[in-house]
Amino acid sequence: MIARRRKSMKLANPAPLGLFGFATTTWLLSMVNAGWLPATTVPIVLAMAFAYGGTAQFAAGLMEMAKGNSFGFIAFCSFGAFWWSFALFEKFFATGVPTAAVGWYLLVWGAFTFAMWLASFALNRAVFLIFLALWITFFLLGLSPLLGIRALFTLGGYTGLITALIAFYTAAAEIINESHGRTLLPLGVPAVRLATAPHPAE
């Protein structure tokens, strides 16, 4: 009886929660990085990083684990932890840390994101684009202090804004399509399926 109830129980889709948490927090931080907002607005970014980008996104990752989605589990929990680490660093540990160390911190996250991007080839095109824009953002932000080129940091702010917009669209598409029971906002077919699809002439 218990096993039958578990089979019939439908779990909620946690992806929109994780994506909205990621998109909104990334948008606010990227506005600062791109120079749209002054550095004095960073505290509001930290608040979002702790609550929505960090906690809500990590919770979404745990829900993905319960659904057996390894990609969603690793992605949401990892980036939830990223926002916690970023907020903790900015709030408590940033004083006296060399800028080169911050650059390597961002590059490490860029390498992780690149690996996840390779995995995303098998997922829908929207998720593929999120991770493509995100690893580029991390590398631009990370290389800026290492190379001493401020323009790379500003450019990373703009690619971060693009990343946030794609993530927000993906989250909106997930919840809107599910709520209406049909595809209103397309997410695109997987990149791998496109690459391996037979040629029309074949």
Side-chain angles (χ1 to χ4, degrees), residues 26-200:
T26 301
W27 178 266
L28 288 176
L29 178 60
S30 296
M31 290 178 75
V32 177
N33 293 341
W36 291 11
L37 291 176
T40 53
T41 58
V42 168
I44 195 66
V45 179
L46 300 184
M48 282 286 285
F50 274 124
Y52 203 21
T55 303
Q57 197 172 179
F58 198 89
L62 295 179
M63 293 171 68
E64 291 283 15
M65 179 182 64
K67 296 183 67 175
N69 181 357
S70 296
F71 184 93
F73 165 58
I74 294 170
F76 287 137
C77 284
S78 294
F79 286 111
F82 162 77
W83 285 117
W84 281 337
S85 71
F86 168 78
L88 288 168
F89 172 74
E90 286 289 336
K91 183 66 177 177
F92 301 109
F93 308 117
T95 303
V97 175
T99 55
V102 177
W104 280 109
Y105 166 80
L106 294 168
L107 288 180
V108 165
W109 278 103
F112 165 77
T113 306
F114 185 83
M116 296 299 289
W117 174 64
L118 295 179
S120 76
F121 273 72
L123 306 178
N124 63 59
R125 184 51 59 94
V127 172
F128 168 84
L129 290 175
I130 291 171
F131 282 86
L132 172 62
L134 185 56
W135 74 253
I136 293 173
T137 298
F138 273 125
F139 276 98
L140 288 171
L141 295 175
L143 288 173
S144 176
L146 291 174
L147 300 178
I149 305 175
R150 174 66 190 182
L152 291 178
F153 195 85
T154 303
L155 183 58
Y158 280 98
T159 56
L161 291 170
I162 294 171
T163 304
L165 286 175
I166 301 171
F168 193 93
Y169 170 85
T170 306
E174 288 268 5
I175 192 62
I176 290 171
N177 292 345
E178 181 178 323
S179 297
H180 289 271
R182 59 194 178 97
T183 301
L184 296 175
L185 296 176
L187 293 170
V189 299
V192 167
R193 186 180 299 169
L194 285 177
T196 57
H199 192 276

